[in-house]
Amino acid sequence: MFIKQRSESAELKLLKYLNTRMNLSDNDMRHFSNIGKGYEGELKFDMLLDNLSDKRLILSYLLLDVSNTIFQIDSLLISQKSIFLIDVKNFEGDFYIETDRWYTSSRNEIKDPLLQLRRSESLLRRLLQDHKLNLSIEAYLIFINPEFTLYQAPRDLPIIFPTQLNRFMKNLNKRSSKLNEKHSKFADLLVAKHMNESSFTQLPNYDYEQLRKGVICEGCQSFLISVEKYKLACNSCGYKEEIKSAILRSIEELTLLFPDRKITTNAVHEWCEAIVSKKTIERILTKNYKRLGYGWSSYYVNS
């Protein structure tokens, strides 16, 4: 049973918006590609978890602070006697281990992905101790991509390879588990402690003037939008969306990119490059946001 569903991180959303509205550097593009690919892998693993019986509580993506140390958990499964701590990697290609160091097939050294898993396990154990919970932790590093191969890996590493994944899930589903109020309270505690934002985001510098204005097509991420009665239509892929939905999505984007910028009718009209009238924008804002102030100084906030 999913207690906390996965959603795109603010960093991934921001990079997606910036990639459409400005030219990212090669380094920023690589970072954007890496975290996007990682998110895709985590969603694939969520689909596997969705097939498990309701004998355990599932929390997807937790960002926690224990003793002023922030750590991330991709997936956490709470069962009767154990907590399954899972780190998902969507690596593709050939890798190998040599004298405890990880390398790509082209001999480029990469950071040992087990280090993050061990760090998270240690901090999670401290959290359990702080709340006097007697549950063991089983930590696994799961490689979700079927095109991944790791050579020279010791057999005792807590790694689940793509060819072992189905068997791992079947064995997990077979394990008996009876949950009680203690388990539910711990799951609620983790959700309450989850941090929505990370201080370790890697974003390029940007300002309002350099970003391209306009409504982005939700289907193909292009700007070729035209108005058809109550809908906006993409001239590139043909995708159609209700005007209200597209404007609200654009407002969310503007708010995330520029959290200190006041949301006004004029600001949204300019951001959307006047694709619809100010009257339409004001009507959408009035119905979906709370208005503060009067006249030219009024602005809108989430209600």
Side-chain angles (χ1 to χ4, degrees), residues 209-226:
E209 297 303 327
Q210 78 181 106
L211 299 187
R212 181 175 176 181
K213 311 303 185 292
V215 176
I216 298 173
C217 170
E218 193 173 28
C220 69
Q221 305 299 299
S222 75
F223 284 92
L224 302 176
I225 304 292
S226 58

Side-chain angles (χ1 to χ4, degrees), residues 10-217:
E11 181 181 25
L12 180 55
K13 285 183 179 180
L14 283 166
L15 285 170
K16 188 182 295 184
Y17 297 150
L18 293 174
N19 182 50
T20 306
R21 296 186 180 273
M22 63 180 283
N23 294 321
L24 296 180
S25 68
D26 290 342
N27 285 337
D28 289 328
M29 278 300 299
R30 278 193 293 271
H31 179 59
F32 174 39
S33 176
N34 286 338
I35 63 174
K37 191 173 181 179
Y39 180 67
E40 290 174 5
E42 292 161 3
L43 290 178
K44 288 180 182 178
F45 185 65
D46 287 347
M47 293 176 65
L48 295 176
L49 293 177
D50 201 31
N51 294 323
L52 292 178
S53 64
D54 291 338
K55 299 176 182 178
R56 53 200 55 79
L57 306 176
I58 305 171
L59 296 93
S60 296
Y61 182 63
L62 290 167
L63 190 64
L64 304 172
D65 186 341
V66 174
S67 301
N68 295 319
T69 302
I70 297 174
F71 68 106
Q72 175 185 321
I73 296 175
D74 289 343
S75 294
L76 192 77
L77 285 69
I78 302 174
S79 64
Q80 181 179 352
K81 297 180 180 179
S82 301
I83 291 179
F84 294 86
L85 170 64
I86 296 173
D87 193 6
V88 181
K89 297 299 181 186
N90 196 16
F91 290 5
E92 183 177 354
D94 295 333
F95 296 77
Y96 68 94
I97 298 177
E98 188 173 276
T99 59
D100 294 329
R101 298 178 184 272
W102 290 58
Y103 298 88
T104 65
S105 59
S106 56
R107 294 197 60 81
N108 293 319
E109 185 175 356
I110 64 170
K111 184 178 180 180
D112 183 348
L114 286 169
L115 295 177
Q116 178 180 323
L117 181 70
R118 291 166 182 148
R119 177 176 178 270
S120 297
E121 181 181 1
S122 175
L123 291 167
L124 180 61
R125 183 171 290 108
R126 189 184 307 175
L127 183 62
L128 288 169
Q129 293 169 351
D130 290 344
H131 291 84
K132 297 179 174 57
L133 292 168
N134 186 25
L135 293 170
S136 63
I137 299 176
E138 295 186 36
Y140 296 97
L141 178 62
I142 289 182
F143 290 99
I144 195 77
N145 197 314
E147 299 298 322
F148 170 82
T149 302
L150 180 63
Y151 296 98
Q152 302 171 193
R155 294 177 60 184
D156 61 345
L157 294 181
I159 292 177
I160 306 298
F161 294 103
T163 53
Q164 301 171 312
L165 194 49
N166 287 337
R167 187 165 69 251
F168 173 76
M169 299 304 296
K170 288 179 181 178
N171 291 336
L172 185 60
N173 212 20
K174 289 178 182 177
R175 295 175 66 161
S176 61
S177 176
K178 293 183 179 179
L179 303 175
N180 55 38
E181 187 179 359
K182 174 187 68 175
H183 300 96
S184 297
K185 284 185 176 180
F186 183 57
D188 292 340
L189 171 70
L190 292 174
V191 172
K193 289 180 69 67
H194 170 68
M195 304 166 59
N196 290 321
E197 296 184 13
S198 171
S199 57
F200 300 104
T201 55
Q202 182 181 324
L203 297 172
N205 293 323
Y206 64 92
D207 59 47
Y208 181 82
E209 297 303 327
Q210 78 181 106
L211 299 187
R212 181 175 176 181
K213 311 303 185 292
V215 176
I216 298 173
C217 170

Side-chain angles (χ1 to χ4, degrees), residues 250-291:
S250 298
I251 295 171
E252 180 185 356
E253 180 185 3
L254 176 60
T255 303
L256 189 60
L257 285 166
F258 302 99
D260 297 328
R261 203 176 187 91
K262 287 185 176 180
I263 300 302
T264 65
T265 300
N266 287 337
V268 176
H269 188 255
E270 181 180 76
W271 181 250
C272 296
E273 209 174 33
I275 190 71
V276 295
S277 67
K278 291 183 180 180
K279 185 177 180 180
T280 297
I281 290 173
E282 184 173 10
R283 183 169 62 249
I284 293 172
L285 284 169
T286 301
K287 288 183 177 180
N288 295 276
Y289 288 79
K290 180 180 179 181
R291 182 173 176 171

